[in-house]
Amino acid sequence: YDVMINYSKAQTKMEEIKLDTTDMRLLAQLQTDASLSNQALAERLHLSPPTCLRRVKRLHEAGLIERQVALLSPDRLAALQGHGLTALVEVSLDRQDTGSLDAFEARIVQDDAVQQCYRVSPGPDFVLVVAVADMPGYLALSQRLFSSDANVRNTKAFFSVKRAKFAPKVLLAAI
């Protein structure tokens, strides 16, 4: 695998990194469970611990691993703080020039309630996944993000009644 990636944190220098089968297996395993110790990860992939650690560090430095996070269970948290409300929101803008699209996107992604933001085509200009505490929370979000923006022509929200699947994985080439 040959992949051109941004290697420097300052994003000023581009270097090539070659990914082999071991790198791809590391990425796949880390997507499944990043909480494994280096020792356990090395054992699963039949690597020495120093080699495993060096490879994972290289993947981090190359920017292929953005960050490591904990995935919380919404169903278990619901018993403690309520279910919350998840909506998929289509947003159409009046002006679709690059500057207008970029400005809307830059403003939207700053809001903590916006979990995902996709620029799409055809149809609406954006599809957002938003999470709020309740319907009054959605109304406040709608007023804050959409009603106050003169370039927003139309929004259409779809409210989730059940999450059947959530898999935050990047599709990797066959290993």
Side-chain angles (χ1 to χ4, degrees), residues 49-65:
T51 297
C52 184
L53 189 61
R54 186 181 72 249
R55 282 178 174 259
V56 170
K57 182 178 183 210
R58 180 175 146 262
L59 295 170
H60 271 283
E61 289 172 349
L64 295 173
I65 300 171

Side-chain angles (χ1 to χ4, degrees), residues 85-92 124 126-130 132 135 138-139 141-142 146 154-160:
L85 187 65
T86 300
L88 287 78
V89 183
E90 294 179 351
V91 181
S92 297
F126 291 90
V127 174
L128 311 175
V129 177
V130 300
V132 293
M135 192 55 80
Y138 179 77
L139 176 61
L141 173 128
S142 179
F146 312 134
N154 185 45
T155 62
K156 187 175 184 181
F158 303 88
F159 297 97
S160 172

Side-chain angles (χ1 to χ4, degrees), residues 106-150:
R107 190 172 63 78
I108 290 296
V109 299
Q110 297 303 313
D111 196 288
D112 287 339
V114 177
Q115 294 184 330
Q116 298 175 52
C117 174
Y118 299 94
R119 201 180 286 194
V120 297
S121 179
D125 298 305
F126 291 90
V127 174
L128 311 175
V129 177
V130 300
V132 293
D134 49 24
M135 192 55 80
Y138 179 77
L139 176 61
L141 173 128
S142 179
Q143 291 169 338
R144 181 173 69 245
L145 298 181
F146 312 134
S147 300
S148 65
D149 188 330

Side-chain angles (χ1 to χ4, degrees), residues 35-57:
S35 70
L36 292 174
S37 68
N38 182 62
Q39 181 73 32
L41 185 60
E43 286 174 14
R44 284 195 185 181
L45 297 176
H46 307 291
L47 298 171
S48 71
T51 297
C52 184
L53 189 61
R54 186 181 72 249
R55 282 178 174 259
V56 170
K57 182 178 183 210

Side-chain angles (χ1 to χ4, degrees), residues 63-91:
L64 295 173
I65 300 171
E66 286 184 23
R67 62 185 177 202
Q68 292 175 246
V69 298
L71 298 178
L72 307 181
S73 169
D75 292 335
R76 291 189 183 227
L77 282 168
L80 302 171
Q81 64 180 23
H83 281 280
L85 187 65
T86 300
L88 287 78
V89 183
E90 294 179 351
V91 181

